[in-house]
Amino acid sequence: MSSRRVVVTGLGALTPIGNTVSEFWNGLAQGVSGSAYITRFNAEKFRTRFACEVKNYDPLNYFDRKEARKMDFCTQFGMVTSAEAVQDADLDVSTLKPDRAGVIWGSGIGGLITFQEEVSNFALGDGTPRYNPFFIPKMIADITAGHISIKYGFRGPNFATVSACASATNAIIDAYTYIKLGKADLMITGGSEAAICEAGVGGFGAMKALSERNDSPETASRPFDKDRDGFVLGEGSGALILEELEHAKARGAKIYAELLGSAMSADAYHITAPHPEGVGVKQVMVSVLEDAGILREEVDYINVHGTSTPLGDISEVNAIKEVFGEHAFKLNISSTKSMTGHLLGAAGGIESIATILAINHNLVPPTINHFTDDERIDHRLNLTFNKAQEKVVRTAISNTFGFGGHNTSVVFRKYEA
């Protein structure tokens, strides 16, 4: 396994702060907030009336009307970003061995908007079952991987990962593993989510998981701030092309970074709350360093899960202190969810892209919306508050965690021949 190196050769992003990779990076670098009042539905009666929506998205800019009607936004977002990643990687799919190319895609929920619409239509009707024939294939979480493989003719490994907010990183880890094991040479991977609807906002709101800062949506996502009161729901997609190194070199591909290691763990504690001692989070970071074969002192930046919840943020930074020791005060930490909101199952896709671009640009994106220090968080940690920081980033980690106690972590490194 160790002889097969895996590199990133293409990226695609559709996010609340930019509808392409370059727009997304510019938004991160400038510290732009993607949070605003909800436009998708009338949220006047909801406890939370704002979210991080994808802006200026028109399906007809990407699909014909008939095609768009067959796909939930969740799948549309995945198709848009995978197309950008394929183009970015300069892939001529006709030259690839289709049995050696696959798709592994993550989504925590799948077609929630479709599910809500179809059930609502039935409930509000006269009891006669009039369901869209595309209801099920639009809703199921695996369908995005299927659509992508059909479009590009990839006949290799093809499935979906569902581990709540860790889903996209799980997909990336699985794609990486299949290439390392020699079962594929190239994979399209990442994740997409589209849960900004009455059911999504109402459901997360009922859990008291969402911020209720309705007077200031743009500052509502404030990881590590004393006055944080929950996460901001986001939507979108992030896609990566992972490729075996020699395969990439043979076709003259540009290489963004090397995916050096991965790890997964479980809290085995609670369906939604983090373990109070961060047992699973510590375990996953120790394991990812071991899998990557690097020392903790080699890590320059951690893109943390950092959702802006009262318990989760503290648990993660305390785990970082325990795992990294004194080096924790020398590396940069930031939560890009302060800008994008929480994309649930797609979070690991766009956050892996943010981590890779930090390596490419030697710039750490900020944790915006910091106003008041939380005395429970060690002030010696460099949480990259409010403004991006220039820094040589050679090695970086991206953490994502999910309801159910799922923990995932990946290490990216600047590519060296």
Side-chain angles (χ1 to χ4, degrees), residues 13 18 55 90 122 128 146 148 150 159 167 200 204 217 233 237 245 251 263 274 302 324 345 368:
K55 316 297 189 296
D90 196 24
F122 175 73
T128 303
I148 295 170
I150 291 166
F159 60 89
S167 297
F204 282 110
L233 187 60
S237 179
L245 175 59
R251 66 179 190 86
I302 302 177
F324 288 89
I368 68 167

Side-chain angles (χ1 to χ4, degrees), residues 14-316:
L14 182 63
T15 79
I17 60 170
N19 293 8
T20 64
V21 170
S22 61
E23 290 177 4
F24 173 50
W25 176 249
N26 287 338
L28 291 176
Q30 294 169 19
V32 173
S33 171
S35 182
Y37 293 112
I38 292 169
T39 64
R40 292 277 169 77
F41 64 92
N42 184 354
E44 183 179 344
K45 295 183 179 180
F46 285 71
R47 297 175 67 96
T48 295
R49 299 190 291 276
F50 57 91
C52 285
E53 297 176 325
V54 170
K55 316 297 189 296
N56 304 312
Y57 175 75
D58 182 350
L60 299 184
N61 289 336
Y62 304 96
F63 312 98
D64 64 46
R65 192 176 302 276
K66 185 177 180 180
E67 188 180 20
R69 290 178 63 190
K70 297 177 182 178
M71 292 184 285
D72 186 270
F73 270 11
C74 180
T75 296
Q76 290 182 25
F77 292 167
M79 293 292 283
V80 170
T81 57
S82 61
E84 183 184 10
V86 166
Q87 182 177 17
D88 183 44
D90 196 24
L91 276 182
D92 180 354
V93 296
S94 67
T95 66
L96 301 176
K97 295 178 181 178
D99 296 347
R100 301 287 299 171
V103 184
I104 303 178
W105 200 257
S107 181
I109 302 176
L112 183 61
I113 294 174
T114 294
F115 186 86
Q116 174 185 285
E117 289 174 347
E118 293 296 322
V119 173
S120 295
N121 289 341
F122 175 73
L124 296 172
D126 61 5
T128 303
R130 297 186 181 92
Y131 286 95
N132 186 320
F134 291 102
F135 171 28
I136 300 302
K138 284 176 69 175
M139 176 198 72
I140 51 180
D142 70 294
I143 206 66
T144 305
H147 273 290
I148 295 170
S149 69
I150 291 166
K151 178 175 180 178
Y152 298 107
F154 288 1
R155 297 200 299 262
N158 184 273
F159 60 89
T161 56
V162 180
S163 50
C165 306
S167 297
T169 305
N170 263 134
I172 293 166
I173 290 171
D174 282 358
Y176 165 74
T177 302
Y178 272 78
I179 295 172
K180 291 280 283 184
L181 289 173
K183 296 180 181 294
D185 296 323
L186 181 146
M187 301 291 289
I188 299 176
T189 189
S192 54
E193 204 79 90
I196 299 177
C197 60
E198 292 90 337
V201 175
F204 282 110
M207 294 173 61
K208 307 287 188 181
L210 299 180
S211 169
E212 298 179 10
R213 201 175 296 278
N214 292 298
D215 59 337
S216 182
E218 69 281 1
T219 68
S221 184
R222 47 177 74 184
F224 315 119
D225 188 86
K226 181 179 181 179
D227 298 319
R228 65 192 181 280
D229 69 330
F231 71 79
V232 178
L233 187 60
E235 65 179 1
S237 179
L240 294 80
I241 305 295
L242 299 188
E243 202 165 344
E244 192 273 325
L245 175 59
E246 297 305 319
H247 186 275
K249 288 166 62 177
R251 66 179 190 86
K254 72 174 180 295
I255 295 173
Y256 280 101
E258 181 172 1
L259 179 44
L260 206 60
S262 67
M264 298 174 282
S265 74
D267 281 356
Y269 172 72
H270 190 273
I271 57 171
T272 57
H275 193 287
E277 281 82 49
V279 171
V281 173
K282 286 184 283 190
Q283 180 185 331
V284 81
M285 287 191 286
V286 169
S287 297
V288 83
L289 293 172
E290 181 180 341
D291 189 63
I294 59 173
L295 301 173
R296 59 188 181 182
E297 290 80 13
E298 296 180 66
V299 177
D300 302 302
Y301 167 51
I302 302 177
N303 185 296
V304 292
H305 187 58
T307 57
S308 185
T309 56
L311 296 178
D313 290 4
I314 292 174
S315 177
E316 187 172 9

Side-chain angles (χ1 to χ4, degrees), residues 351-394:
E351 288 162 19
S352 287
I353 292 171
T355 305
I356 291 163
L357 293 177
I359 291 171
N360 279 255
H361 293 278
N362 288 317
L363 185 74
V364 176
T367 305
I368 68 167
N369 296 329
H370 181 73
F371 303 99
T372 307
D373 288 342
D374 185 338
E375 61 275 5
R376 296 169 296 174
I377 294 176
D378 196 323
H379 71 276
R380 294 175 296 170
L381 293 169
N382 184 355
L383 296 166
T384 322
F385 283 136
N386 296 327
K387 186 177 180 181
Q389 294 179 13
E390 293 184 3
K391 180 186 181 118
V392 175
V393 181
R394 182 169 177 263

